[in-house]
């Protein structure tokens, strides 16, 4: 019996020693570190990362067209006032020249005064029949179509059948905008022309123009420069250079490539060394937003400013320092904000 107890105590001691050793070894090992999940940086707190909307908003934000609200949101389902839209159009197309006269309801001390005068000068805003501008009124989808058409002189690429109501004054512009892929028809061939355009919807409209501007600027950089050439010759006397760069000298004759003309596409053509635009020419109209048209459609008022459409409500607050939204003005459009 004593022998059995002795053996049992020996086993207990051995197990205890083994456990102590095991714990000791475990304590000497570095702790296992579990890395936290990476934090996804949001452009705006209410816009899902990795979506098409976020991609569009990043481009607009980088271009200085939008900034969002002070609380970090964008409010994609909110509306856009006529004054806000003018400011964004002017930034997008680089318009800066002011008209000499404005509108009676746009006093000099409102934040959007200059933007409205710029819009009037460019001809894409003409005002309502009563002479007002109504800057705080929300802008509708068909009004946006008329403005885009005026700025870009859009062509109708194909016939479009719209199955819901569109105002007569805007129908032609709406069809042009749809056929150019700037705004889509929705399910059942509807367009919701008389509804206000949301902040998300106008973002998609603006992006193609930003992309086009970036392409034009890239082409200019790529095609800028001159071609050069060198030549050697012997003989004395004077020479007369011809259009192809050849030089005639008494005693001998030498052909000199001279300077070259850079033609888009990479070809170098002997000549003066000036830069030629592509066939058909790019007069930078696209870069500047086009010439626009200032003549309203037959029937008088262009409808973009249809006086029969009552305001949809006040300014969304983003741009009107006197009427901030819940949570505060987004700061982007208030010139008094730092």
């Amino acid at each position: 019996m004593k022998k059995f107890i002795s053996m049992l105590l020996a086993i207990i001691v051995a197990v205890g020693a083994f456990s102590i050793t095991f714990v000791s070894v475990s304590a000497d090992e570095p702790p296992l570190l579990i890395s936290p999940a990476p934090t996804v940086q949001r452009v705006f707190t209410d816009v899902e990362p990795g979506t098409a909307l976020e991609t569009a908003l990043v481009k607009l934000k980088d271009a200085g067209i939008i900034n969002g609200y002070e609380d970090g949101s964008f409010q994609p389902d909110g509306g856009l006032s006529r004054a806000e839209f003018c400011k964004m159009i002017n930034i997008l197309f680089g318009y800066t020249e002011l008209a000499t006269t404005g509108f009676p309801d746009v006093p000099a001390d409102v934040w959007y005064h200059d933007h409205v005068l710029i819009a009037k000068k460019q001809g894409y805003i003409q005002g309502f029949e009563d002479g007002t501008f109504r800057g705080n009124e929300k802008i509708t989808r068909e009004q946006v179509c008329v403005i885009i058409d005026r700025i870009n002189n859009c062509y109708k690429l194909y016939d479009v059948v719209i199955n819901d109501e569109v105002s007569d004054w805007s129908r032609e512009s709406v069809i042009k905008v749809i056929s150019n892929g700037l705004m889509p028809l929705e399910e059942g061939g509807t367009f919701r022309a008389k509804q206000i355009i949301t902040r998300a919807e106008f973002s998609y409209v603006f992006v193609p123009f930003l992309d086009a501007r970036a392409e034009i600027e890239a082409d200019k950089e790529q095609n800028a420069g001159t071609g050069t050439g060198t030549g050697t010759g012997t003989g004395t006397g004077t020479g007369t250079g011809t259009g192809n760069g050849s030089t005639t000298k008494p005693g001998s004759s030498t052909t000199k490539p001279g300077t070259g003309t850079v033609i888009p596409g990479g070809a170098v053509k002997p000549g003066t060394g000036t830069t030629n635009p592509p066939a058909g020419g790019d007069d930078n109209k696209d870069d500047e937003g086009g010439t626009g048209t200032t003549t309203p459609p037959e029937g008088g008022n262009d409808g973009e400013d249809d006086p029969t459409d009552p305001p949809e409500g006040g300014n969304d607050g983003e741009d009107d320092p006197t009427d901030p939204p819940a949570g505060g003005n987004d700061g982007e459009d208030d010139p008094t904000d730092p």
Side-chain angles (χ1 to χ4, degrees):
M1 185 67 176
K2 291 181 179 180
K3 188 175 182 181
F4 172 77
I5 292 173
S6 299
M7 292 177 61
L8 182 60
L9 290 174
I11 293 172
I12 293 173
V13 170
V15 171
F18 176 81
S19 300
I20 293 172
T21 302
F22 177 79
V23 171
S24 176
V25 170
S26 298
D28 291 339
E29 293 178 354
L32 179 61
L33 298 178
I34 301 176
S35 300
T39 303
V40 178
Q41 185 68 35
R42 289 176 178 260
V43 179
F44 296 106
T45 57
D46 54 352
V47 177
E48 286 297 321
T51 59
L53 177 59
E54 185 197 49
T55 300
L57 296 181
V58 167
K59 292 182 179 182
L60 294 176
K61 188 174 182 180
D62 289 346
I65 296 174
I66 62 170
N67 284 319
Y69 290 86
E70 287 181 346
D71 62 359
S73 66
F74 177 69
Q75 301 182 16
D77 296 328
L80 194 69
S81 73
R82 289 166 52 81
E84 291 169 335
F85 192 76
C86 287
K87 176 184 177 179
M88 294 176 181
I89 284 285
N90 294 339
I91 295 174
L92 175 64
F93 292 106
Y95 296 146
T96 58
E97 189 175 356
L98 281 70
T100 55
T101 59
F103 299 94
D105 60 338
V106 183
D109 58 350
V110 296
W111 68 264
Y112 53 84
H113 174 268
D114 286 359
H115 289 294
V116 174
L117 264 62
I118 292 171
K120 186 177 181 182
K121 178 67 176 179
Q122 293 299 323
Y124 68 82
I125 287 293
Q126 297 172 3
F128 290 84
E129 287 183 347
D130 62 359
T132 61
F133 171 68
R134 305 179 191 176
N136 292 332
E137 183 176 319
K138 294 296 193 297
I139 194 165
T140 66
R141 290 165 58 86
E142 62 184 351
Q143 289 174 345
V144 169
C145 289
V146 171
I147 290 174
I148 294 297
D149 185 20
R150 283 179 181 166
I151 292 172
N152 294 279
N153 290 322
C154 298
Y155 292 95
K156 184 176 74 172
L157 301 182
Y158 56 86
D159 290 329
V160 175
V161 177
I162 304 172
N163 292 329
D164 58 346
E165 187 178 4
V166 181
S167 299
D168 291 340
W169 50 263
S170 70
R171 179 172 293 276
E172 183 179 355
S173 294
V174 170
I175 290 173
K176 289 178 181 179
V177 167
I178 293 173
S179 71
N180 278 272
L182 297 173
M183 293 177 70
L185 273 178
E186 299 176 347
E187 185 177 357
T190 61
F191 186 70
R192 298 182 292 111
K194 293 181 176 292
Q195 294 186 21
I196 64 170
I197 192 168
T198 67
R199 293 165 61 82
E201 289 169 344
F202 90 75
S203 300
Y204 292 125
V205 174
F206 277 23
V207 165
F209 296 104
L210 276 178
D211 291 342
R213 186 173 72 182
E215 290 178 7
I216 291 171
E217 292 173 353
D219 288 343
K220 286 180 180 178
E221 293 180 1
Q222 182 178 357
N223 297 326
T226 59
T228 59
T230 58
T232 58
T234 59
T236 60
T238 59
T240 302
T242 64
N244 62 7
S246 63
T247 303
T248 304
K249 294 184 178 181
S252 66
S253 178
T254 299
T255 299
K256 294 185 177 181
T259 60
T261 300
V262 176
I263 302 174
V268 178
K269 175 183 177 182
T272 62
T274 59
T275 302
N276 289 343
D282 178 11
D283 61 357
N284 293 325
K285 179 171 72 172
D286 292 337
D287 193 19
E288 296 299 323
T291 59
T293 57
T294 59
T295 304
E298 283 184 79
N301 184 15
D302 57 9
E304 165 254 314
D305 304 307
D306 186 359
T308 64
D309 289 341
E312 300 289 342
N315 186 297
D316 67 358
E318 172 191 357
D319 301 307
D320 186 352
T322 65
D323 186 17
N329 186 286
D330 66 353
E332 101 185 67
D333 301 305
D334 184 356
T336 63
D337 286 347

